[in-house]
Amino acid sequence: TVEEAGRRGGSPALEETEMRVNRTYSCIPAEEKGIHIINIRAIEDIGYDQHESTLLNSLSKNPDADCKYGLYFRDGKRKVDYILVYQYKKSSAGRTVTRRAHNDSTARSTKQEQPLPGKGVQLEMGESEPHMDYHEDDKRFRREEYEGNLVEAGLELEHDEDTKIHGIGFVKIHAPWNVLCREAEFLKLKMPTKKMYQINQTHGLLKKINSVIQKLTEPIQPKVAEHKPQTVKRLSYPFSREKQHLFDLSDRDSFFDSKTRSTIVIVVLITPLPGRKKEATLLNKRRKCGKYGEYYAKVFAKGDYEGENVEPNDRKLLCEEWASYGVFYKYQPIDLVRKYFGEKIGLYFAWLGVYTQMLIPASIVGIIVFLYGCATVDENIPSMEMCDQRNNITMCPLCDRTCSYWKMSSACATARASHLFDNPATVFFSVFMALWAATFMEHWKRKQMRLNYRWDLTGFEEEEDHPRAEYEAKVLEKSLRKDHKHKEKHRYFPEETANKWRQRVKTVMAGVKLTDKEKLTWKDRFPAYLTNFVGIIFMVRLTFAIVFGVIIYRISTAAALAISSTPSGRSSVRVTVTATAVIINLVVIIILDEVYGCIARWLTQIEVPKTDKNFEERLIFKAFLLKFVNAYTPIFYVAFFKGRFVGRPGDYVYIFHSFRMEECAPGGCLMELCIQLSIIMLGKQLIQNNLFEIGIPKMKKFIRYMKLKRQHSLDHEEHMKKKQRYEVDYNLEPFAGLTPEYMEMIIQFGFVTLFVASFPLAPLFALLNNIIEIRLDAKKFVTELRRPVAVRAKDIGIWYNILRGIGKLAVIINAFVISFTSDFIPRLVYLYMYSENGTMHGFVNHTLSSFNVSDFQAGTAPNDPMDLGYEVQICRYKDYREPPWSENKYDISKDFWAVLAARLAFVIVFQNLVMFMSEFVDWIIPDIPKDISQQIHKEKVLMVEVFMREEQGKLQMLETWKDKDKKKGENCNNHSPRLSRSHSGSLSSCHSYPLDV
């Protein structure tokens, strides 16, 4: 209003402009008619503890700070712990327009009496910049308001807008010692104390074995100090300012490492602190309002990583000993990874390393199974019978009219290749892989406990996340909508209603959390839930439709190629159709993976989850569901549906009344399943996981480089400046989270376990991929991505449950693959029920049924019945049916039911036996290693001893003071009454001494 403008000392016109700007760029939703939010500012009084914090005056640059390369403030002493980056516009005269003048704003006058380091001289906007950008000025006003709150919290800031990057400003943040101590106590960070203890060592034979193993594995150990075995460990305890004497503070600069310092700064930025009123995450709100475009932790440790004369630092060490393809055979320096990136990323790479190590025995067994198939292929009687041209078995046509009769011996190569993967050893391998999955999960749990102990995470409990900014905005919108409805009901009392509404908004912006009173119910989220359900169903059906389209392609292409007059063309129809169809599936899977990832994120966003943890879990579930269906639907079709619903000659099943359902090869569908699985698995790993991970970041980096180069050509002065470290790292790709990294490994884990009965070499290809994947991810994290915020975590979260679910599902799927897809059960049934001499001779003839060609439907018989050179009366097809000379011709025979019963019995026995064995492995292997359990107990005992000694020392000191006081009292009593009366004050002070203590 005009009165408010007059009180603030500004003209009504200027205030009206400011009101219009704030109304335009406010981040609080106000869609309801009648609700007008004019100006919602940042919370001025945020209730921080009042510490000695002053704005830095670092405008005079230290000449020795040039070698710091952006790692320190201008004084060359204070480290840069975190960096905020924002975009700004320069004025036409080349100067940076600073901020608006609000002279009598009491809260801001106390915080903005002097400019932040690196800022220019303030300009009077109405005089020197008549054509100012009010949008830009409003954003600058919001930035300064927020920076004042950070300074109140104790952080030290320094601006740098004089950069080589056009239009980009940086705010360097340093956390002083008192802030680090305060936040470490608030976060309950376990820090090393002065107390050291000996780690229990093995004795006797185990000690000798461990020493031998250490000598043998020494060449493959990374050359980092953190990876060496420890014999002594410092006792850790949650940091407390009252007990600083317990901690090793000999070197304060290194007491909090760079990871911990950046974590503490981000906690100050985005979470409420003790003594502050509970409000929403300020930085997230500011980002939604357009205040800070991006924020990231410093992407450097203590220096650069490129060049020969670079000082040693963690980043350079990681490049040499971890993010290099030349060290692919070495163990990962997990402790150094955790030190640099934090526990969450460290756990991911530790899990990936354990998974890769466990693939070694699985690969060896898979190779043995494959070699067994190669060694016994010439002794396999069914394949020998199929290849024997003397049998003269004439098969029925594969399609109507255009296809002719064919000899079974023409499928000899397919039959021999099927034996490589369809032999008795594959059953053993399926059981082995089920037990391998259970062992892998138990091994990881034990490894995780060792890391928790080593990283001082024992007893760590994740605190409840604060509500997301989007959730609080939605709650505020709901609250304002209620107020608007209430105002409409009480429109006869406008003044009272307006006062209540104004008080409501004032209460909200004063820091009172609406989420404590208002919450989003299922009714509020019902449209989002409905959209999620419909969207997921639609995308699943889209995947099925695409697979169905590929089936139509296979059928039509097979019919078209069968018209070829060349015998070589007709013989390669099945291989050509299978290979091209799988490639089409692969391309579709890769494209839909990217689409489904974006759709899953959008579906999760419209649900408006309350916390970041809920958001991440819902996103992971949706993305995994969609990508699982997308990746495995073509494989499920080949494994369980292809060839099951084709009908028989003379009564085939047709699609659209013209396309006949495709059949399996004479050797079964297992070979085609193997081809499908291998091409999709290898294609996804090679193209999506590796090529995309290398190519896309490189391409984005190149695009950013070209944009900056074009800007530099317009501003030669900025181009001639030397870039600081943070300016170089600004061009790196932002960290997008670990979900894509986990997702590709989980999908690969499914390929390794779900259909391993059809492809024993899957663990080998996964192992080779992961050896490259570890170094590729390491190089990406160190050199291609901005350094992410270090996050504490004690496990891998929901991914562990997904792994366990896949392991359970793998047992069921492999049981069905062995029973229904392979010929393992029919061979057993024939061997023990129908074989005359106890061998497999006659098995092929037993699985084939006969058909009289005179029973073909009109228009379905081959156009060239004499293609083989003789007239065919009876042709054979793979099925268990009665012959044409039987009374119930072409009906299902009793052999079919015998084989079906055996298949179902095998599924039940296999599933229950393997499940029992897996649970037994889970039960017999303890989750916590015995030595770690002993060390944790030892730490508790030692900590109790430390506090007992401290209390005993206090009691002894108190008793000493009491004895001294008693002696002083006796001396005072021995004085004369006169002296006693004249020194009554002294006597009083003697008796009051214990109370002061």
Side-chain angles (χ1 to χ4, degrees):
T1 62
V2 177
E3 294 179 359
E4 291 174 340
R7 285 197 300 269
R8 286 201 296 253
S11 64
L14 179 59
E15 293 300 328
E16 183 181 357
T17 304
E18 292 177 3
M19 290 164 63
R20 183 172 62 255
V21 170
N22 291 327
R23 182 163 57 247
T24 304
Y25 299 104
S26 176
C27 66
I28 304 299
E31 299 176 358
E32 288 293 322
K33 184 177 178 181
I35 299 178
H36 302 286
I37 302 177
I38 297 178
N39 184 13
I40 298 182
R41 301 183 180 179
I43 301 167
E44 296 287 345
D45 184 12
I46 53 180
Y48 281 109
D49 296 335
Q50 298 299 324
H51 295 286
E52 296 181 3
S53 58
T54 58
L55 297 175
L56 306 180
N57 190 9
S58 309
L59 299 179
S60 58
K61 189 174 181 180
N62 189 338
D64 297 332
D66 290 335
C67 62
K68 303 298 183 181
Y69 197 36
L71 306 177
Y72 289 77
F73 277 24
R74 288 188 177 89
D75 57 8
K77 297 179 181 179
R78 285 165 296 184
K79 294 181 180 179
V80 177
D81 296 321
Y82 206 84
I83 290 179
L84 297 174
V85 57
Y86 59 90
Q87 297 180 357
Y88 68 95
K89 294 181 180 179
K90 290 190 174 183
S91 65
S92 58
R95 294 173 298 175
T96 303
V97 182
T98 56
R99 62 184 180 183
R100 291 176 296 185
H102 290 266
N103 298 326
D104 61 310
S105 180
T106 306
R108 289 187 57 209
S109 63
T110 59
K111 293 182 287 186
Q112 304 289 350
E113 291 179 356
Q114 49 183 333
L116 289 175
K119 284 214 167 189
V121 182
Q122 301 178 19
L123 300 176
E124 194 66 34
M125 302 311 301
E127 300 176 2
S128 60
E129 295 291 341
H131 302 290
M132 57 178 291
D133 187 349
Y134 285 98
H135 181 194
E136 184 66 24
D137 191 48
D138 184 71
K139 289 195 297 184
R140 184 172 297 105
F141 168 72
R142 294 171 183 271
R143 284 199 301 267
E144 292 177 355
E145 204 167 26
Y146 179 68
E147 289 163 5
N149 291 333
L150 297 183
V151 172
E152 262 192 32
L155 299 178
E156 299 176 353
L157 312 180
E158 183 178 86
H159 276 262
D160 185 7
E161 291 186 355
D162 190 24
T163 63
K164 191 175 180 180
I165 305 178
H166 180 79
I168 298 296
F170 297 91
V171 180
K172 294 181 280 188
I173 300 178
H174 169 76
W177 175 256
N178 59 342
V179 175
L180 295 173
C181 294
R182 182 190 69 200
E183 301 305 321
E185 183 177 2
F186 171 68
L187 296 174
K188 300 178 182 179
L189 296 178
K190 279 190 173 183
M191 304 303 296
T193 63
K194 298 177 182 178
K195 177 67 176 178
M196 302 180 68
Y197 68 95
Q198 195 80 17
I199 297 178
N200 294 338
Q201 301 293 326
T202 56
H203 302 282
L205 181 60
L206 289 178
K207 184 177 181 180
K208 294 181 180 179
I209 294 175
N210 289 337
S211 62
V212 172
I213 293 175
Q214 288 179 3
K215 290 180 181 179
L216 293 176
T217 58
E218 186 175 358
I220 60 176
Q221 299 291 343
K223 298 178 181 178
V224 296
E226 286 80 2
H227 199 76
K228 296 180 179 178
Q230 298 179 349
T231 58
V232 177
K233 187 177 184 293
R234 287 189 178 274
L235 191 63
S236 297
Y237 184 73
F239 187 82
S240 172
R241 286 175 287 182
E242 296 179 355
K243 301 182 182 299
Q244 289 192 30
H245 58 279
L246 296 177
F247 299 94
D248 183 18
L249 302 179
S250 57
D251 185 7
R252 288 191 173 189
D253 293 336
S254 62
F255 182 73
F256 296 104
D257 56 16
S258 61
K259 167 187 66 69
T260 306
R261 296 174 72 96
S262 61
T263 302
I264 287 176
V265 172
I266 193 62
V267 166
V268 176
L269 292 176
I270 68 173
T271 58
L273 301 175
R276 289 170 55 182
K277 297 178 182 179
K278 294 182 178 180
E279 80 274 357
T281 56
L282 292 177
L283 186 57
N284 286 343
K285 280 187 174 181
R286 286 302 172 211
R287 294 181 66 194
K288 287 183 69 63
C289 292
K291 181 182 179 196
Y292 288 103
E294 307 171 52
Y295 67 99
Y296 58 94
K298 56 187 179 63
V299 196
F300 42 84
K302 295 182 180 178
D304 205 352
Y305 66 94
E306 297 175 328
E308 297 180 355
N309 299 324
V310 176
E311 296 180 0
N313 58 76
D314 290 343
R315 192 181 187 187
K316 181 176 176 59
L317 195 58
L318 285 173
C319 280
E320 294 174 351
E321 296 294 330
W322 184 49
S324 173
Y325 296 107
V327 294
F328 72 92
Y329 59 92
K330 290 187 176 182
Y331 286 100
Q332 297 183 86
I334 293 299
D335 292 325
L336 184 60
V337 174
R338 172 253 179 180
K339 177 183 176 183
Y340 190 79
F341 290 108
E343 287 79 5
K344 191 171 185 178
I345 295 179
L347 282 173
Y348 163 71
F349 282 103
W351 173 82
L352 183 57
V354 171
Y355 172 46
T356 305
Q357 291 176 10
M358 289 294 294
L359 284 174
I360 295 176
S363 302
I364 294 174
V365 177
I367 293 173
I368 294 174
V369 170
F370 179 74
L371 293 178
Y372 170 81
C374 295
T376 58
V377 66
D378 293 331
E379 302 173 1
N380 183 38
I381 296 176
S383 61
M384 292 172 62
E385 289 183 348
M386 291 182 63
C387 295
D388 190 358
Q389 297 183 1
R390 295 173 297 180
N391 289 334
N392 197 26
I393 300 178
T394 303
M395 303 297 294
C396 295
L398 296 175
C399 60
D400 294 341
R401 296 187 300 275
T402 57
C403 298
S404 184
Y405 304 104
W406 55 285
K407 293 285 189 180
M408 174 170 275
S409 58
S410 63
C412 175
T414 305
R416 290 174 61 87
S418 297
H419 180 72
L420 301 179
F421 306 99
D422 187 6
N423 54 70
T426 56
V427 180
F428 159 76
F429 190 57
S430 299
V431 177
F432 171 81
M433 288 304 296
L435 298 179
W436 172 87
T439 306
F440 162 62
M441 300 304 296
E442 291 303 311
H443 179 46
W444 166 243
K445 283 196 291 187
R446 291 169 63 85
K447 177 69 174 180
Q448 191 172 254
M449 283 304 304
R450 289 188 181 277
L451 293 177
N452 286 341
Y453 165 72
R454 206 159 65 199
W455 296 348
D456 296 324
L457 292 174
T458 53
F460 168 71
E461 296 293 338
E462 294 185 6
E463 298 180 358
E464 183 181 358
D465 292 340
H466 298 283
R468 299 170 62 244
E470 293 82 357
Y471 179 84
E472 292 194 330
K474 202 74 174 178
V475 171
L476 178 59
E477 183 182 359
K478 178 182 177 181
S479 175
L480 294 178
R481 190 182 297 113
K482 282 185 176 180
D483 287 343
H484 176 63
K485 292 180 179 178
H486 183 72
K487 183 177 67 174
E488 289 295 326
K489 290 181 179 179
H490 299 79
R491 59 181 180 273
Y492 299 106
F493 307 97
E495 185 65 28
E496 182 181 357
T497 306
N499 291 335
K500 287 184 178 180
W501 180 85
R502 190 176 295 109
Q503 184 66 28
R504 179 75 167 178
V505 175
K506 187 179 298 183
T507 303
V508 170
M509 300 319 298
V512 177
K513 288 181 69 174
L514 284 176
T515 52
D516 293 340
K517 297 181 179 179
E518 295 284 352
K519 292 183 179 180
L520 296 182
T521 62
W522 69 270
K523 294 182 180 179
D524 301 320
R525 289 195 173 104
F526 180 75
Y529 289 155
L530 183 62
T531 305
N532 272 260
F533 178 77
V534 174
I536 291 175
I537 295 298
F538 171 77
M539 286 179 285
V540 170
R541 297 187 66 176
L542 175 64
T543 303
F544 291 164
I546 292 174
V547 172
F548 182 75
V550 175
I551 294 172
I552 299 297
Y553 162 80
R554 293 160 66 110
I555 296 173
S556 58
T557 305
L561 291 177
I563 304 176
S564 174
S565 58
T566 60
S568 60
R570 288 195 297 267
S571 62
S572 61
V573 168
R574 191 177 297 275
V575 176
T576 304
V577 170
T578 301
T580 54
V582 172
I583 293 174
I584 293 174
N585 277 326
L586 174 62
V587 174
V588 171
I589 287 172
I590 292 175
I591 295 174
L592 289 184
D593 259 358
E594 303 300 323
V595 175
Y596 286 169
C598 299
I599 294 177
R601 179 170 291 276
W602 176 75
L603 290 176
T604 308
Q605 287 174 348
I606 64 175
E607 280 189 56
V608 196
K610 183 175 182 179
T611 63
D612 288 328
K613 184 177 180 181
N614 292 340
F615 181 89
E616 184 180 11
E617 290 180 350
R618 295 186 184 191
L619 173 62
I620 290 171
F621 175 75
K622 293 182 183 66
F624 173 74
L625 176 63
L626 295 176
K627 293 189 177 185
F628 181 90
V629 172
N630 182 41
Y632 295 113
T633 298
I635 302 174
F636 270 94
Y637 163 73
V638 175
F640 303 120
F641 297 98
K642 184 178 179 180
R644 310 291 174 189
F645 311 102
V646 296
R648 60 170 179 82
D651 188 21
Y652 283 112
V653 177
Y654 291 90
I655 302 174
F656 304 133
H657 304 286
S658 57
F659 296 105
R660 205 174 90 187
M661 289 294 293
E662 55 182 348
E663 304 177 40
C664 290
C669 281
L670 196 68
M671 184 61 197
E672 188 173 345
L673 177 61
C674 175
I675 296 174
Q676 184 103 359
L677 183 65
S678 59
I679 293 180
I680 292 178
M681 178 181 177
L682 296 178
K684 276 182 62 68
Q685 292 181 351
L686 180 64
I687 298 175
Q688 190 175 26
N689 298 351
N690 294 332
L691 191 61
F692 281 12
E693 286 191 8
I694 297 175
I696 291 180
K698 292 284 186 184
M699 183 179 65
K700 290 182 178 179
K701 187 177 179 181
F702 177 74
I703 293 174
R704 283 194 298 269
Y705 171 75
M706 295 303 295
K707 288 182 179 179
L708 292 174
K709 188 177 180 181
R710 186 166 59 252
Q711 293 175 354
H712 293 160
S713 63
L714 300 176
D715 197 337
H716 180 72
E717 180 182 353
E718 291 186 350
H719 181 67
M720 297 304 294
K721 300 172 186 174
K722 180 183 177 182
K723 280 190 176 182
Q724 299 292 327
R725 179 73 256 171
Y726 48 83
E727 295 179 75
V728 176
D729 292 330
Y730 175 74
N731 295 326
L732 300 178
E733 186 74 11
F735 176 65
L738 289 173
T739 300
E741 311 299 334
Y742 272 113
M743 188 67 70
E744 65 182 72
M745 289 295 105
I746 296 297
I747 296 296
Q748 183 203 85
F749 183 77
F751 283 122
V752 169
T753 56
L754 292 180
F755 297 94
V756 74
S758 63
F759 190 40
L761 295 180
L764 175 63
F765 289 113
L767 173 64
L768 297 177
N769 173 81
N770 288 2
I771 292 175
I772 301 174
E773 179 74 19
I774 290 176
R775 307 304 164 179
L776 181 64
D777 283 347
K779 196 171 186 64
K780 182 177 67 175
F781 271 78
V782 175
T783 63
E784 299 293 335
L785 297 179
R786 298 174 187 170
R787 186 178 179 182
V789 178
V791 179
R792 289 192 300 169
K794 62 186 302 184
D795 52 39
I796 60 176
I798 192 176
W799 298 109
Y800 181 82
N801 298 329
I802 294 177
L803 285 170
R804 286 188 64 88
I806 292 177
K808 303 294 184 184
L809 184 63
V811 177
I812 302 173
I813 291 179
N814 281 302
F816 277 93
V817 168
I818 295 172
S819 298
F820 290 90
T821 308
S822 72
D823 284 338
F824 177 74
I825 300 301
R827 289 172 185 171
L828 288 180
V829 172
Y830 177 79
L831 184 64
Y832 293 104
M833 292 182 62
Y834 300 103
S835 178
E836 297 177 356
N837 52 7
T839 63
M840 294 300 296
H841 288 287
F843 170 74
V844 174
N845 186 62
H846 176 74
T847 59
L848 298 177
S849 299
S850 300
F851 177 76
N852 193 333
V853 297
S854 61
D855 294 333
F856 273 120
Q857 292 180 354
T860 61
N863 296 331
D864 186 10
M866 300 295 294
D867 185 62
L868 295 178
Y870 57 89
E871 184 179 0
V872 177
Q873 299 294 331
I874 298 294
C875 66
R876 310 293 297 275
Y877 61 99
K878 190 173 183 179
D879 203 349
Y880 292 99
R881 290 183 179 271
E882 296 292 341
W885 51 84
S886 175
E887 295 181 0
N888 302 317
K889 64 177 183 178
Y890 308 133
D891 287 347
I892 295 175
S893 64
K894 63 177 182 180
D895 298 342
F896 171 84
W897 300 111
V899 172
L900 180 61
R903 282 173 166 169
L904 294 176
F906 177 83
V907 168
I908 296 173
V909 172
F910 181 89
Q911 176 183 339
N912 287 278
L913 178 63
V914 176
M915 287 287 190
F916 171 77
M917 296 173 67
S918 300
E919 293 297 329
F920 179 75
V921 170
D922 190 0
W923 172 76
I924 200 173
I925 301 177
D927 294 344
I928 304 177
K930 186 177 180 180
D931 58 331
I932 297 299
S933 178
Q934 293 174 350
Q935 296 293 348
I936 294 174
H937 179 70
K938 184 177 181 180
E939 279 194 351
K940 292 180 181 179
V941 173
L942 290 175
M943 186 55 64
V944 171
E945 291 180 359
V946 168
F947 283 109
M948 288 295 294
R949 291 176 183 175
E950 184 180 3
E951 294 299 325
Q952 289 176 359
K954 290 181 180 179
L955 290 176
Q956 291 178 359
M957 186 180 298
L958 189 60
E959 290 177 357
T960 304
W961 287 343
K962 285 183 178 180
D963 293 340
K964 291 182 179 180
D965 180 68
K966 187 176 181 180
K967 292 180 180 179
K968 289 182 180 180
E970 291 177 355
N971 293 335
C972 292
N973 291 332
N974 291 334
H975 289 310
S976 61
R978 178 182 176 183
L979 188 61
S980 175
R981 285 193 299 269
S982 63
H983 293 82
S984 59
S986 300
L987 185 59
S988 173
S989 65
C990 291
H991 289 289
S992 66
Y993 182 73
L995 298 177
D996 294 337
V997 173

